[in-house]
Amino acid sequence: MIKVRLFALVVLSSVTLTACGGSSDDDTTASSSPEASAEVSAAAAPSVTTGAGTESGGVTATALCDYLRGELPALRKAPGEIEVMGRLATGLSGWYDQRGGVPDGSQIDTLTKEQCADVRTEALKLAGVQSFLQL
């Protein structure tokens, strides 16, 4: 089961990176999938806050929790853990990309543990993982 998850994540990351890797002359490829893998984008991660304020990336724990809370209904309807993992990984990547970057999984874990532990627990349980680091 772990090998299947790993394979699915590798394929998903490859497809995402391929879609994002278009040249500046190829606007259709670059605009069709704005998400990038968390590993690639983590290097450009913005500072994040745990309260209601914002910093350079405009990401707060409250906003992150609101986003995840809004995603729960769709995650509950997903046919399996791999689909949930893929949706969370690409969804969070796109959501953070709109705000200036993507923090690593440990930052997401920290923010959600402090602000919305119940939402975090349910999202991770649906994905079959213990931490956002595993996405």
Side-chain angles (χ1 to χ4, degrees):
M1 183 67 153
I2 292 175
K3 289 181 181 180
V4 172
R5 287 183 189 167
L6 181 59
F7 177 73
L9 287 175
V10 168
V11 170
L12 179 63
S13 295
S14 297
V15 170
T16 302
L17 288 174
T18 301
C20 292
S23 68
S24 60
D25 295 335
D26 187 8
D27 291 333
T28 58
T29 301
S31 64
S32 66
S33 180
E35 297 87 13
S37 72
E39 294 86 17
V40 172
S41 297
S47 298
V48 292
T49 62
T50 57
T54 63
E55 291 194 13
S56 63
V59 176
T60 65
T62 302
L64 175 60
C65 289
D66 288 345
Y67 168 76
L68 288 171
R69 193 172 287 111
E71 287 295 302
L72 284 178
L75 297 177
R76 290 180 192 125
K77 293 178 184 177
E81 292 176 345
I82 291 177
E83 290 82 1
V84 174
M85 290 171 66
R87 183 176 182 99
L88 276 172
T90 58
L92 283 166
S93 180
W95 187 80
Y96 271 102
D97 188 46
Q98 293 174 354
R99 286 152 184 80
V102 178
D104 63 34
S106 65
Q107 289 173 315
I108 296 173
D109 282 331
T110 299
L111 293 175
T112 56
K113 280 179 185 176
E114 293 174 2
Q115 189 73 23
C116 56
D118 58 331
V119 172
R120 175 186 183 275
T121 299
E122 184 174 355
L124 294 176
K125 182 177 179 182
L126 290 167
V129 296
Q130 300 296 314
S131 167
F132 285 101
L133 282 168
Q134 296 174 296
L135 293 179

